[in-house]
Amino acid sequence: MKQKSKAQLSTGVFILMVLGILVLVNVVSARLFGRLDLTENEMYSLSDASKGLMKHLDDQVFAKAYFTSDLPAPYNSHARFVKDLFEEYAAYSKGNFRFEFIDPGEDEEIKQKMMILGIPPVQIQEIQNDKFQVKQAFLGIVFYYADKKEIIPIVKNITSLEYDITSTIRKLTSDKLRVIGFLQGHDEPNPREEMKNALSQIEKNYKVQMVNLSGDNMKIADEIDTLVIVNPKKEFEEEALFNIDQFLMKGKTVAFFTDAVDVDIQSFRGTPLNTGLEKLQKHYGISVNPDLVLDLQNKRINVASQQGAFRITNIVNYPLIPVITDLDDDNTLTSKMDALPFSFISSLEIASDSDKIKYSVLARTTPRSWNQTGAFQLNPMQNLSPGATSKTGPFPVIAMAQGKFSSYFANQAEQSNSDKPWLADPAAIRTESPDTRILVIGDGTFTLDNFSDPSNTVFFADAMDWLIQDESLISIRGRGVMDKPIAELEPWEKTTIKYMNMIGVPLLMLLFGLLRWSMRRARRKGFQLASD
């Protein structure tokens, strides 16, 4: 009996110790944060950019997070994730980041205050008592710094939350925002109407301004840091080209996202474009060729066709939307990207490096790509295949140049030419730039809402960071955005995999069965010998 009592006592003490340890671990874990991040791009770990921002805060940043409790999945974990993230921010802020969580509940006064701040309620469906119900919820954050405030109205996606928080705090604490100018006046798309996705990303960190280089207004304001040229259709006047050139000569940066072929997707017709920018691009060392690149690694599109009285939708591969996966892993701009689709993109002609300028190809098509020139075949229902004069890839499609550029107008100063007053004073013409950058892509449609892909929007915003030489956020903006297309296989590879599945797997099973049978037979013989 005594031994039994001792055993029961020991068991009871052991159980109490285990329970005590579990309670202690839970108490400690509730007060301390920690996270083991096994994701490929460390999307749940605070980035160096966020840590650096927190370490250099010069005053208090206060965050108020308004989250409704008892929400259904997947929103039920949002508040906990935000709290964990805030604790990490606070740990690196040296006491300059504080936060508070508020559950609005049924308090109408708090709800009214949130509406005034700009945090709208969202309708969330949930199942209660075996019935679908709609619940009103709040999932917003307000950040305060000095006499300024910024808002994240709705926390929709936690995978991009760190970027949203860091960019909001950066914008809030910055004395002056850098300015990105979008060129207008030559039938370019209006960013406010046709590039809303891209604009919503870059306006988190920069000011956006329209730059009209047409008519009597040919000036680019000094406050513009980067000039973005997207899909102009009309020819540029000489003075407009001069102002773009001199903007670059000041050490500012320029993005040329320009089409060489004007594509009408309604009639499937392509017309070569000549805007005058071609001579500037050629002078700077990166030209857009008058062709279209097609690739067997491409996106599939829906094409509607009429068959009798019925309208049929077909899903077809469209080589004119190549998916680019050959991206430069050594360049900050493309190292985090997996794949980028581009519609009706043209190839590039790139100069060799010089003593003053370094050129880099950031993206190429696959070796299975080819180009079209002259008469363009765009109909997805036709057989789009290489022609007799087609060149085969890979083709460079994204390129950058960095260094000291010479002015296209350096040798064109005509003091006596009254028709070109902007060239009248040779001393006022900047003939060489300080160290600066240009980025060239033979496609501008990737920036438009109708053609954009999530990865394109991230790439466009990263390109603005790279051009403005503020690259700290590039590492976290694309977290959670992944596009990993399956690599194209050679015919012999496909055949090998096919027959390995058809014959190889059954053969392995047969070999395994034979091995097991021989082992059991040998074991039985061993038993017989031992018994004899």
Side-chain angles (χ1 to χ4, degrees):
M1 288 295 293
K2 288 184 178 181
Q3 289 183 347
K4 186 176 181 181
S5 299
K6 286 182 179 180
Q8 290 176 343
L9 181 62
S10 299
T11 303
V13 170
F14 177 75
I15 292 173
L16 288 174
M17 288 177 62
V18 170
L19 290 173
I21 292 170
L22 290 174
V23 170
L24 181 62
V25 168
N26 275 277
V27 170
V28 172
S29 64
R31 298 180 182 276
L32 300 176
F33 71 87
R35 186 178 291 122
L36 178 62
D37 191 348
L38 301 177
T39 56
E40 181 181 350
N41 54 3
E42 297 183 341
M43 61 185 295
Y44 295 108
S45 299
L46 208 61
S47 68
D48 292 337
S50 299
K51 294 174 185 177
L53 177 65
M54 290 295 102
K55 290 175 182 177
H56 293 95
L57 286 178
D58 57 3
D59 204 349
Q60 287 276 338
V61 172
F62 183 65
K64 281 189 176 182
Y66 295 91
F67 280 81
T68 302
S69 61
D70 300 325
L71 293 178
Y75 306 100
N76 55 350
S77 62
H78 281 24
R80 180 72 242 182
F81 184 87
V82 173
K83 188 175 181 181
D84 289 346
L85 205 55
F86 278 177
E87 286 175 346
E88 292 199 48
Y89 277 96
Y92 291 101
S93 70
K94 300 176 182 177
N96 280 330
F97 180 81
R98 296 183 301 111
F99 61 91
E100 176 186 4
F101 273 75
I102 299 171
D103 178 8
E106 300 300 325
D107 193 323
E108 294 299 327
E109 185 178 343
I110 295 178
K111 290 182 180 180
Q112 189 64 31
K113 181 181 177 182
M114 292 166 61
M115 297 284 284
I116 295 171
L117 286 171
I119 300 177
V122 294
Q123 305 297 323
I124 295 175
Q125 287 187 344
E126 65 175 352
I127 299 175
Q128 268 192 3
N129 300 324
D130 298 326
K131 294 181 180 179
F132 274 104
Q133 295 182 349
V134 176
K135 184 174 184 176
Q136 189 182 75
F138 290 90
L139 302 162
I141 309 171
V142 185
F143 296 88
Y144 297 92
Y145 176 79
D147 58 345
K148 299 185 292 183
K149 72 174 184 293
E150 289 288 339
I151 299 166
I152 298 178
I154 303 172
V155 177
K156 292 180 180 178
N157 186 359
I158 60 175
T159 57
S160 62
L161 185 59
E162 185 195 347
Y163 170 76
D164 292 336
I165 292 172
T166 298
S167 59
T168 300
I169 296 174
R170 272 179 38 132
K171 185 177 182 180
L172 188 66
T173 57
S174 297
D175 295 328
K176 182 182 177 182
L177 294 178
R178 309 287 289 277
V179 183
I180 296 173
F182 283 83
L183 194 66
Q184 298 287 278
H186 306 86
D187 280 357
E188 297 92 345
N190 186 332
R192 298 289 180 196
E193 297 175 0
E194 301 176 71
M195 301 169 57
K196 294 178 182 178
N197 292 336
L199 234 58
S200 67
Q201 286 290 319
I202 62 177
E203 284 188 320
K204 292 178 180 179
N205 302 291
Y206 310 110
K207 284 180 63 177
V208 171
Q209 188 171 316
M210 302 302 133
V211 179
N212 197 320
L213 289 185
S214 63
D216 297 330
N217 183 15
M218 290 285 182
K219 299 298 181 185
I220 303 175
D222 289 336
E223 64 179 347
I224 304 293
D225 296 291
T226 292
L227 184 65
V228 183
I229 304 174
V230 179
N231 272 1
K233 301 293 176 63
K234 289 183 178 178
E235 189 170 355
F236 282 75
E237 297 179 29
E238 197 78 1
E239 186 178 356
L241 296 176
F242 174 76
N243 280 285
I244 294 171
D245 175 86
Q246 291 298 289
F247 177 83
L248 184 66
M249 293 306 110
K250 291 178 183 178
K252 306 295 183 73
T253 57
V254 181
F256 295 97
F257 301 152
T258 55
D259 286 349
V261 180
D262 184 16
V263 173
D264 183 353
I265 59 173
Q266 301 299 323
S267 61
F268 297 117
R269 294 179 60 184
T271 307
L273 281 170
N274 190 349
T275 63
L277 285 174
E278 297 81 12
K279 51 191 177 185
L280 284 187
Q281 294 171 336
K282 184 176 182 180
H283 179 78
Y284 301 145
I286 306 177
S287 303
V288 181
N289 294 320
D291 64 5
L292 291 176
V293 177
L294 300 86
D295 201 324
L296 289 179
Q297 181 172 280
N298 55 65
K299 290 202 75 172
R300 306 184 79 188
I301 62 171
N302 296 325
V303 180
S305 61
Q306 196 72 31
Q307 295 185 11
F310 300 98
R311 191 166 183 81
I312 307 298
T313 299
N314 300 288
I315 301 176
V316 298
N317 290 310
Y318 196 36
L320 282 156
I321 308 182
V323 177
I324 312 300
T325 54
D326 186 359
L327 300 161
D328 185 0
D329 293 333
D330 296 325
N331 189 280
T332 308
L333 180 55
T334 50
S335 61
K336 298 293 183 181
M337 306 303 298
D338 296 311
L340 292 170
F342 289 95
S343 304
F344 312 110
I345 194 168
S346 299
S347 63
L348 304 177
E349 193 73 32
I350 302 164
S352 301
D353 290 352
S354 66
D355 294 338
K356 296 184 177 181
I357 303 175
K358 182 181 186 323
Y359 298 94
S360 300
V361 176
L362 303 186
R364 292 180 174 86
T365 57
T366 72
R368 297 182 181 84
S369 58
W370 69 96
N371 73 343
Q372 282 187 9
T373 56
F376 298 101
Q377 295 180 358
L378 309 178
N379 193 329
M381 301 306 290
Q382 292 180 345
N383 181 24
L384 297 173
S385 57
T389 60
S390 297
K391 295 180 180 178
T392 56
F395 297 100
V397 289
I398 304 177
M400 56 80 68
Q402 184 170 358
K404 297 179 178 180
F405 297 85
S406 64
S407 171
Y408 176 77
F409 295 89
N411 300 318
Q412 299 186 35
E414 302 175 25
Q415 193 166 357
S416 61
N417 192 335
S418 59
D419 294 334
K420 298 180 180 180
W422 58 90
L423 294 174
D425 185 5
I429 299 175
R430 293 178 172 86
T431 58
E432 187 177 81
S433 75
D435 193 72
T436 188
R437 302 174 173 188
I438 66 170
L439 179 66
V440 181
I441 303 176
D443 173 40
T445 56
F446 81 95
T447 65
L448 308 181
D449 294 336
N450 290 341
F451 292 88
S452 70
D453 183 90
S455 56
N456 289 119
T457 303
V458 170
F459 174 74
F460 180 82
D462 286 348
M464 298 302 101
D465 290 338
W466 182 85
L467 285 163
I468 222 158
Q469 300 185 47
D470 183 10
E471 303 171 17
S472 59
L473 290 178
I474 291 178
S475 61
I476 58 174
R477 182 183 280 111
R479 289 183 174 185
V481 179
M482 295 185 183
D483 185 5
K484 296 180 180 292
I486 298 174
E488 284 288 331
L489 300 175
E490 296 288 349
W492 67 268
E493 292 175 312
K494 293 179 181 179
T495 303
T496 302
I497 293 172
K498 174 183 174 182
Y499 286 107
M500 280 294 294
N501 284 319
M502 290 174 61
I503 301 173
V505 174
L507 186 61
L508 285 173
M509 292 296 293
L510 179 62
L511 291 174
F512 177 75
L514 289 172
L515 179 63
R516 288 279 295 171
W517 175 77
S518 62
M519 290 174 64
R520 293 177 67 180
R521 185 181 179 188
R523 191 180 299 116
R524 281 199 300 268
K525 285 186 176 180
F527 289 151
Q528 289 175 357
L529 289 173
S531 62
D532 292 342

